[in-house]
Amino acid sequence: MSNDPSSRPVLELDQVRLAFEGEEVLRGVCLRAMQGERLVILGRSGSGKSTLLRLILGIVKLVSGSVKFEGAEVSQMGRGRLNQMRSRIGMVYQYSALISSLNVRDNLALPLEELTDKSTREIEAIVDEKLALVGMADAKNKMPAELSGGMRKRVGFARALVLDPALILYDEPTAGLDPVISAVIDELIITLSEKIEVTSIIVTHEMSSAFKVATRMAMLYEGRIILDDTPGHFRESTDPVVAQFIHGEVDGPILR
Ligand SMILES: Nc1ncnc2c1ncn2[C@@H]1O[C@H](COP(=O)(O)OP(=O)(O)OP(=O)(O)O)[C@@H](O)[C@H]1O
Ligand SMILES: [Mg+2]
């Protein structure tokens, strides 16, 4: 899809620099996500992947460069505009981040009650539709504590979908799940992107997952994107850092 000249970028990062207390985490990141893509971001622990997602949401601020969502500069948005943008972005957190005192239905209804003027009946219909999409319709009246990790994750996906986002950000969607549930989650990411034509950015360091879901991959290393290409080209890459990372080898430039 990225080769289609008629598709336009949902997200564009240009020469992004970001530092925490003088320590540079991003040193000139350039990256774009085109409509409908599933872009997987690879990188070592601590390389700045979650920071990149927080930057997209306007939670952390850049030192220089530009982040544009649907053509609008995120760093220049005021609070109202920022909230409007956030309602168009679904975020799936590593630990699903459901509110433990609310049942599944209320967890999903909350963003709709707070950010839209939809009626109770409309909200009910949306909650049912999104739970059905992730195969969790039966869990509607359950509390988060009554669900397994994989089920909570699926409910977290459903919650990210209630506002019909243009972009979904997944932070380590399969971390801590068994291989079978991981495969189910991978399938779900693909199905959702095809069914609702949403653009997806997936942060992971699980290679089997990455190669299964990606339509394109980008690797973050020492503050920059060192390779941005198709999964096929990643697999064949002779770049020593990329090759060491995707094959999980001990010997190589990483750790040297
Ligand atoms: N709020 C913060 N204040 C100071 N330093 C931070 C903050 N958030 C992140 N960092 C630092 O920025 C770097 C990147 O962190 P980040 O969480 O983005 O890494 P990551 O690639 O998501 O790692 P992991 O794979 O372990 O989740 C780390 O060195 C981290 O210590
Ligand atoms: Mg992280």
Side-chain angles (χ1 to χ4, degrees), residues 219-230:
M219 177 153 175
L220 188 59
Y221 183 71
E222 294 184 339
R224 293 188 186 85
I225 299 294
I226 57 165
L227 184 64
D228 177 345
D229 215 325
T230 60

Side-chain angles (χ1 to χ4, degrees), residues 49-50 94 171:
K49 305 181 298 300
S50 297
Q94 183 163 347
D171 198 352

Side-chain angles (χ1 to χ4, degrees), residues 229-246:
D229 215 325
T230 60
H233 284 138
F234 255 83
R235 234 186 221 110
E236 292 160 11
S237 175
T238 53
D239 179 297
V241 173
V242 173
Q244 184 186 2
F245 189 82
I246 68 173

Side-chain angles (χ1 to χ4, degrees), residues 20-21 25 44-52 54 172 205:
F20 290 113
E21 291 128 31
V25 175
R44 297 183 59 197
S45 190
S47 61
K49 305 181 298 300
S50 297
T51 300
L52 200 62
R54 285 202 284 273
E172 302 280 356
H205 39 219

Side-chain angles (χ1 to χ4, degrees), residues 38 133 154 157 170 174 180-195 209 212-213:
R38 290 188 300 274
L133 261 180
R154 281 198 268 171
F157 280 30
Y170 296 94
T174 57
V180 176
I181 299 298
S182 291
V184 170
I185 295 291
D186 290 339
E187 281 302 319
L188 192 55
I189 292 172
I190 297 169
T191 315
L192 290 178
S193 105
E194 287 170 355
K195 261 196 199 159
S209 209
K212 211 181 298 163
V213 303

